[in-house]
Amino acid sequence: MTERDLPIHHRAEDPGGRLWSFGKVIWVHCPECDKAAKKDNHGVNCNHCGHTTIQSRKPSNNRWATPASSKQKCTHCGEAIGNEDRPTARTKDGELFLQVRCPHCGETDDYPARPGWTTQRFGYEPGPPLFLATQVAGETLWVQNLAHLDALEDWLGAKVRERGPQPGLTMMAKLPRWMKASTNRAKVLRGLAQLRERAEKAGIDE
Ligand SMILES: [Zn+2]
Ligand SMILES: [Zn+2]
């Protein structure tokens, strides 16, 4: 990483707003190719491999599936691939298959699957892991997108942080203590700089 001056400055005012008001997209690891993919209200969209999720509001969504065997092993490395629901199911010749990228060796394959429970049971769909995340001081520092990154950098880089006009639990007010601690400021800012570099390399532009 190139050594850059950390963006430490004197004063910042809470811009207000909640997490979802910072940017419209969330960058995640594409469930198929693992590169940066955009997630919004309509699902995940990957410009690299073309993966698209169509989120369905129907109670049983057969795109969300789980491996038919909870002990399914990776066909490449033989390690267990896990049995969580994933949005990458397809029907082939009347049989349901699930595309799974092995967490151990990274190889992707199709496995026999059964419909998942995620959407039926909880009514929400856990997304793929965030693309812009890193470890700082033993904690996970993550941002959803560049607007979120800019806002955090400005706020956490300030020596004096002032409440803005918006009362209540804004995104800034809800940040965890470790992130706001002045002793962690340099580490956190370096973490954010790393995320910015990763975003640039991945072609993330919003
Ligand atoms: Zn992809
Ligand atoms: Zn494997």
Side-chain angles (χ1 to χ4, degrees), residues 30 33 35-38 44-52:
C30 171
C33 74
K35 291 184 180 152
K38 252 183 225 186
V44 177
N45 224 306
C46 177
N47 279 336
H48 300 282
C49 72
H51 174 87
T52 307

Side-chain angles (χ1 to χ4, degrees), residues 96-122:
L96 191 61
F97 286 91
L98 184 61
Q99 188 169 65
V100 179
R101 189 175 172 277
C102 173
H104 305 281
C105 70
E107 293 290 337
T108 300
D109 213 340
D110 281 347
Y111 298 91
R114 54 182 172 77
W117 293 98
T118 305
T119 49
Q120 302 170 38
R121 237 196 255 147
F122 305 111

Side-chain angles (χ1 to χ4, degrees), residues 73-79 81 101-107 111:
K73 301 273 198 296
C74 169
T75 51
H76 296 270
C77 73
E79 296 285 336
I81 58 168
R101 189 175 172 277
C102 173
H104 305 281
C105 70
E107 293 290 337
Y111 298 91

